[in-house]
Amino acid sequence: IGLLEEIYIWLESYNHNSDTDGTFLFEICKEDDAFLRKYIQSVFNNTPHHKLDDVLCKLRVFYNSDNYIEICDKIFKQLMDLSTYPFSEISDIISRLIIKTEGEELRTQKSIKWIRHFIEENANNKEEMVCLFEAFSQCDTEQRIGHIEIFLSKNNDYDIFKSLPLISFPNSWSGSLVPLYSSWIEFLEKVLPFLSGLKFINHKKLVEERMDNLRKRIIDEQIADIMHG
């Protein structure tokens, strides 16, 4: 199996399309659980961020595994250990690999299950939580609120909470920013019910301050829209 692993990594270094759907990668990892780490270290350390689509397509094969949650944990933590990419690109890789599952209902449900599991198990790890929250920042409102609720049930640390990207800019936007700011306010309003009690007093204050700032930005934007209209 060791020789086969070396051949596989050698082929991947020359052509990421050598195992298009990840079938052989999946079978090798069934025989040698440690190979996944070797593969990630080799491929991600030698592949520019903008050329990762073929690699991510292969790794998605692990959604077919019965222990996909454990494997997703390993992939996430191994990516966090890489120094090849800046933090923002790691979040993007996690999002593209594990979280973006449009049109694939089973993968979507598995993705949600994994995210909630990972939050429950790692809520005290600030760096991992910031990365994960950034990765799922473009998911729908219901999913994101559910993830935040689970985080708050496991961790009431204010320092970590204030670092979490609860809202973020969409991948593309044009026109007035008023609708975007308004949607952010609506989202933060949905977070407030989970911030009752003394242990969340600072969390609640922070969210309310962010909402007030957004309201001010809406006024400024409306004035700018009129002036440039």
Side-chain angles (χ1 to χ4, degrees):
I1 189 71
L3 178 59
L4 180 60
E5 292 174 355
E6 290 181 18
I7 293 173
Y8 188 91
I9 289 178
W10 181 82
L11 288 172
E12 283 290 289
S13 67
Y14 285 93
N15 181 11
H16 292 320
N17 289 317
S18 59
D19 179 23
T20 307
D21 61 2
T23 299
F24 290 110
L25 176 62
F26 185 76
E27 292 301 322
I28 292 173
C29 289
K30 281 171 62 176
E31 297 298 323
D32 180 8
D33 184 56
F35 181 67
L36 181 60
R37 172 176 286 277
K38 298 176 188 176
Y39 175 77
I40 288 176
Q41 288 177 338
S42 173
V43 175
F44 282 91
N45 279 327
N46 294 285
T47 307
H49 177 258
H50 66 282
K51 293 185 177 181
L52 284 173
D53 285 344
D54 292 333
V55 175
L56 299 181
C57 184
K58 287 183 182 64
L59 287 172
R60 292 190 189 104
V61 72
F62 290 106
Y63 267 113
N64 299 325
S65 174
D66 292 336
N67 62 330
Y68 77 94
I69 285 183
E70 178 185 344
I71 294 173
C72 286
D73 282 355
K74 290 179 179 179
I75 292 173
F76 183 98
K77 289 181 178 292
Q78 287 166 22
L79 288 174
M80 290 291 291
D81 289 339
L82 292 177
S83 58
T84 312
Y85 309 107
F87 192 82
S88 60
E89 291 185 357
I90 293 294
S91 292
D92 178 63
I93 291 169
I94 295 297
S95 177
R96 290 158 60 193
L97 173 61
I98 301 176
I99 297 172
K100 290 184 178 178
T101 58
E102 294 91 341
E104 302 179 54
E105 183 61 29
L106 180 59
R107 279 190 57 211
T108 297
Q109 293 305 314
K110 287 187 172 184
S111 169
I112 293 171
K113 186 175 181 179
W114 172 75
I115 292 171
R116 297 187 176 183
H117 148 81
F118 195 85
I119 293 173
E120 288 178 347
E121 296 296 321
N122 302 277
N124 292 318
N125 188 312
K126 180 178 179 178
E127 188 175 56
E128 291 182 347
M129 287 300 99
V130 171
C131 183
L132 181 62
F133 270 69
E134 181 62 40
F136 68 65
S137 62
Q138 302 302 319
C139 290
D140 65 46
T141 296
E142 183 180 351
Q143 287 184 38
R144 289 156 57 209
I145 291 294
H147 300 334
I148 292 170
E149 180 182 7
I150 289 176
F151 172 81
L152 292 170
S153 72
K154 296 293 181 179
N155 190 335
N156 60 16
D157 182 272
Y158 175 71
D159 180 62
I160 295 181
F161 179 79
K162 71 179 182 181
S163 300
L164 299 178
L166 300 182
I167 54 177
S168 66
F169 238 91
N171 294 326
S172 61
W173 187 268
S174 61
S176 173
L177 291 171
V178 171
L180 179 62
Y181 294 156
S182 297
S183 70
W184 286 351
I185 292 173
E186 291 176 5
F187 179 80
L188 293 174
E189 284 176 341
K190 296 180 185 297
V191 175
L192 285 176
F194 303 110
L195 302 177
S196 60
L198 288 176
K199 64 182 179 180
F200 292 124
I201 190 168
N202 289 326
H203 304 58
K204 184 177 181 180
K205 181 180 178 182
L206 175 68
V207 170
E208 290 174 338
E209 287 175 349
R210 290 181 179 176
M211 292 168 63
D212 288 340
N213 287 334
L214 286 168
R215 293 186 182 101
K216 293 175 183 177
R217 289 164 70 176
I218 286 176
I219 294 173
D220 292 340
E221 185 71 13
Q222 289 172 330
I223 293 173
D225 288 345
I226 293 172
M227 293 181 66
H228 294 97

